[in-house]
């Protein structure tokens, strides 16, 4: 399967713990996006990378969230000191290039903070 | 004000019906526009891009009205397999941030 993959698919954690998610984009895609989706809502943009450079972050992204894409391939999203409000589906998407290009989404990581 | 507004529905229509969804956006400098489809518990997938001149793909027609800042999706001859949530997507003025609407739920009934 050469699509976007995410790991883990599910994560249950206690409030206050740190969690890290991984995304492996389609290999030739240079753009990578992170989104958060809660029930009944559309995906909410968090951040995006062009190769290894993080070029934009949502103003809604608190300083507890950090993302990296060290070699321009896979990416990680870390949430520190998780809160119950962080419970959501975290989606990763990749695309070949600019805004005209289709984004291919991974299956997501479902986070539950207890 | 939200970047993208959509009527969440639900829309329940019989097979063969024509159904239309609208979506409004707030940033007149938005670069690109799309409709994505999301099936229950699945990831979103691109349905079609929306061009200024309007575009059609089989039973699906998308329109963009920049003056009134809305986009629309028309589905003709609805099939059971069209049942899904349809997400309106608009980019920022830089084209780098993608804003999704809340989605419109469609159920096609036999």
């Amino acid at each position: 399967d050469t699509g976007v993959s995410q790991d883990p698919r599910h994560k249950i954690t206690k409030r206050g713990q740190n969690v890290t998610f991984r995304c492996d984009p389609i290999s030739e895609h240079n753009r990578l996006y992170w989104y958060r989706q809660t029930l009944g809502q559309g995906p909410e943009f968090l951040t995006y990378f062009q190769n290894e450079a993080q070029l934009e972050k949502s103003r809604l992204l608190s300083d507890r969230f950090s993302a990296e894409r060290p070699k321009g391939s896979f990416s990680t999203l870390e949430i520190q000191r998780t809160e119950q409000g962080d419970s959501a589906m975290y989606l990763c998407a990749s695309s070949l290039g600019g805004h005209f290009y289709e984004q291919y989404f991974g299956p997501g990581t479902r986070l539950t903070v207890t | 004000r939200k970047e993208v507004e959509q009527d969440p529905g639900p829309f329940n229509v019989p097979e063969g019906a024509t159904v239309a969804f609208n979506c409004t956006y707030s940033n007149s400098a938005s670069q690109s526009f799309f409709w994505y489809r999301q099936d229950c518990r699945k990831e979103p997938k691109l349905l079609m891009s929306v061009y200024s001149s309007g575009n059609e793909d089989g039973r699906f027609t998308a329109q963009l009205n920049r003056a009134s800042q809305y986009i629309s999706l028309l589905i003709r001859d609805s099939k059971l397999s069209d049942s899904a949530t349809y997400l309106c997507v608009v980019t920022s003025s830089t084209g780098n941030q993608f804003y999704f609407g809340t989605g419109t739920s469609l159920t096609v009934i036999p």
Side-chain angles (χ1 to χ4, degrees):
Chain A
D1 187 349
T2 56
V4 179
S5 61
Q6 292 187 245
D7 183 70
R9 295 291 304 275
H10 303 273
K11 178 71 177 178
I12 299 173
T13 192
K14 294 189 181 203
R15 190 176 52 187
Q17 297 295 304
N18 299 343
V19 294
T20 300
F21 310 141
R22 177 180 170 124
C23 170
D24 286 88
I26 294 171
S27 59
E28 62 267 29
H29 286 186
N30 55 34
R31 287 202 174 197
L32 187 148
Y33 303 83
W34 283 100
Y35 294 88
R36 174 172 61 195
Q37 187 173 23
T38 54
L39 196 62
Q41 300 296 315
E44 175 189 26
F45 172 85
L46 294 179
T47 190
Y48 117 88
F49 291 85
Q50 172 94 17
N51 299 311
E52 66 276 9
Q54 187 176 19
L55 296 185
E56 290 200 29
K57 293 195 294 186
S58 166
R59 61 185 183 277
L60 303 175
L61 199 66
S62 83
D63 56 7
R64 296 184 298 106
F65 287 71
S66 62
E68 292 183 343
R69 194 182 181 197
K71 295 182 181 178
S73 55
F74 74 91
S75 175
T76 58
L77 177 69
E78 181 183 17
I79 309 174
Q80 295 183 327
R81 306 180 303 281
T82 51
E83 302 172 355
Q84 286 189 318
D86 296 332
S87 295
M89 176 73 83
Y90 288 83
L91 292 162
C92 174
S94 70
S95 72
L96 261 176
H99 52 88
F100 291 113
Y101 287 88
E102 175 177 0
Q103 292 190 25
Y104 293 83
F105 282 82
T109 294
R110 181 168 296 284
L111 173 67
T112 302
V113 182
T114 62
Chain B
R1 184 182 170 189
K2 285 186 176 181
E3 288 86 1
V4 182
E5 303 261 14
Q6 262 187 279
D7 178 354
F11 285 68
N12 299 315
V13 302
E15 268 187 293
T18 296
V19 61
F21 308 135
N22 290 321
C23 164
T24 58
Y25 60 95
S26 59
N27 184 356
S28 60
S30 293
Q31 291 273 347
S32 299
F33 309 86
F34 308 89
W35 284 99
Y36 274 70
R37 168 189 169 135
Q38 187 169 27
D39 292 297
C40 190
R41 298 184 184 278
K42 297 285 191 179
E43 68 272 19
K45 292 186 178 178
L46 179 68
L47 178 66
M48 58 198 304
S49 302
V50 187
Y51 304 119
S52 296
S53 54
N55 47 303
E56 188 173 309
D57 182 3
R59 298 182 292 109
F60 298 84
T61 300
Q63 298 275 355
L64 166 64
N65 185 320
R66 282 193 179 269
S68 301
Q69 293 179 213
Y70 78 83
I71 69 175
S72 64
L73 177 68
L74 183 77
I75 305 175
R76 290 181 298 277
D77 188 24
S78 299
K79 311 290 185 194
L80 297 176
S81 57
D82 294 334
S83 298
T85 296
Y86 291 83
L87 296 158
C88 166
V89 185
V90 173
T91 68
S92 60
S93 53
T94 61
N96 294 329
Q97 295 198 26
F98 286 69
Y99 301 111
F100 284 72
T102 54
T104 299
S105 173
L106 171 67
T107 301
V108 180
I109 303 163

